[in-house]
Amino acid sequence: MAAAAKRTTFHLVLIKPTHYDDDGYPITWFRSHIPSNTLAALYGLGEDCRQRQVLGPDVDILIKPFDETNARVRPDKIMAEIKRTGGKALICLVGVQSNQFPHAVDLARHFLKAGLPVAMGGFHAAGCLSMLPVVPPEIQAAMDMGISIYAGEAEEGRLDEVLLDAWHRRLKPLYNYMDDLPGIEGAPTPHLPPAALARNEGRKSSFDLGRGCPFQCSFCTIINVQGRKSRFRSTDDLEAIIRENHKQGITSFFITDDNMARNKHWEEFFDRLIELKENEGIAVSLIIQVDTQCHRIPNFIQKARWAGVYRVFIGLENVNPDNLLAAKKRQNKITEYRKMLQAWHISGASTWAGYILGFPGDTRESILRDLEIIKKELPLDILEFFMLTPLPGSEDHQTLWKQGVWMDPDLNKYDLNHRVVHHPKMSDAEYEQTYRDAWRIYYTPEHIETVARRHGSIPGRNPAEPAQFMTMFKIMFEAENIHPLEGGIVRLKYRRDRRYGMPIEPIGVFHWKLALETVRKLKIYGRLAWQGWRIGQKVRFDPKRHEYTDLALEPVGEDEMDKLSLFADTAGGGAAVTKKRGEDLARAKVAAAHNQQRLEAAE
């Protein structure tokens, strides 16, 4: 009894913050679409610290994870719980992206005022400290407030150090591990408790199997935050992750690797998943990210589907080779786009692609023209539009920073859905209008039906599914005025949670505005949901649906490529075809020479 009375509690509070909408309210949902990998990874690391008793055998570590995209964060309640149960605490704001930085700082204010230690990590801090020669003013201001900044990853015992420093009240202003990224093989299993996972739509979770990327895309932060040297988990790590989540009934995952096709263990991973499915009935559903060359890897698509991949996100980025070259996206070959997308389509997987608007060579006319070509000639399902944004941590941001070019000082806008720089060929108003129009042009009822018919032509495929997802994207953009990747089910908004410095509206005014906003949204939801449902059912019950075909689904020979608008009408398209034919001819000559040498050797 005496020993039990001496036990002490340490509260580890992990908060993955959201960011503010245009009215200054945190974007939070009753159920969110995309689970947080960072939160799962840090919860697993925290659990490992608890089991190893890193703070001593007489200290109980209590871990509370909060994903603010699906759970309102109430600092007052968190602090009251800590005070009620006693002990020490550390508030960790994790995975903080640039657009989430202002809100993360605002959350920290509450805890710091109560005397609780706060640490903050994520892509913004890591990216800035890895690419800029000085500490940016917003990060310095955060440290001056008392926030401890963490740059880097927390495996290999680094979380131990932070917890011990918090326990002994000696947190450093800055923990910078950007020059020493840890290995992740054998690292503690990323997972979350059932209560947290239940707030994800469809009871999904996420994990990574590799970090780092060898490519050099100038708009990307991953290569400068996670490094250009790839690091991997093992196949046994993968199995442990699947089994841990399977015990909680979680079998649907988003694998957050920036490019699963470049993970050197991809085949071992897929084989293990296939074994678990066939030998033990543990089947999983997976969303993965790949590059535009993945179809050239023998058996990659086939094994991916067999292993449970049903949706792939592809960094298409653009159909203009000049734009891709300017962004150092040299690995993307537009001459391979149709083959790659057709291969995924035939396999039955759903394809989602990122598409960037606002490259220096873009004009309103070229963007709208290219979108019509994509709709007609590429068998693509979801197209996600992003404004070209100099994200802190990217080469683009570093270049503009060094040149002293204006970039919007409000980090909350750095969500790829807001303009934060001036475009050289379009006015600010024209650029912003073109971005909005791109969503409307791609997600027309006619094109949603086209995509549904393309899927409906495949026996066993439900054409209502792509119609449903495309409609969901359209609803998020039109009704919620946010990027669909930030979407969820039932938006939650609270009067007192407004951005620091903005006035708290009177209760009557706030709720009157909220009521009007809700009515407006419900009308849009109802109209578009009904429209999408009718399209899906129309195609689903069409007796001739399996006979459908169009230009995007038809194979085009190498000698006919320049007849496609993708190559004939886009800037640089014709040159890309000419270059490919030259490369193919050179390879053919080399192969012929090798065959001749073998014949001569045989004689």
Side-chain angles (χ1 to χ4, degrees), residues 73-88:
V73 173
R74 292 283 303 272
D76 55 338
K77 288 192 173 183
I78 294 172
M79 292 185 292
E81 174 67 14
I82 293 171
K83 183 177 180 180
R84 184 182 64 82
T85 54
K88 299 179 182 180

Side-chain angles (χ1 to χ4, degrees), residues 226-245:
Q226 295 186 347
R228 290 179 178 167
K229 180 181 179 181
S230 298
R231 296 160 288 138
F232 308 102
R233 297 189 192 272
S234 70
T235 310
D236 289 339
D237 293 336
L238 167 62
E239 181 173 338
I241 292 170
I242 298 299
R243 290 188 182 279
E244 177 66 31
N245 283 276

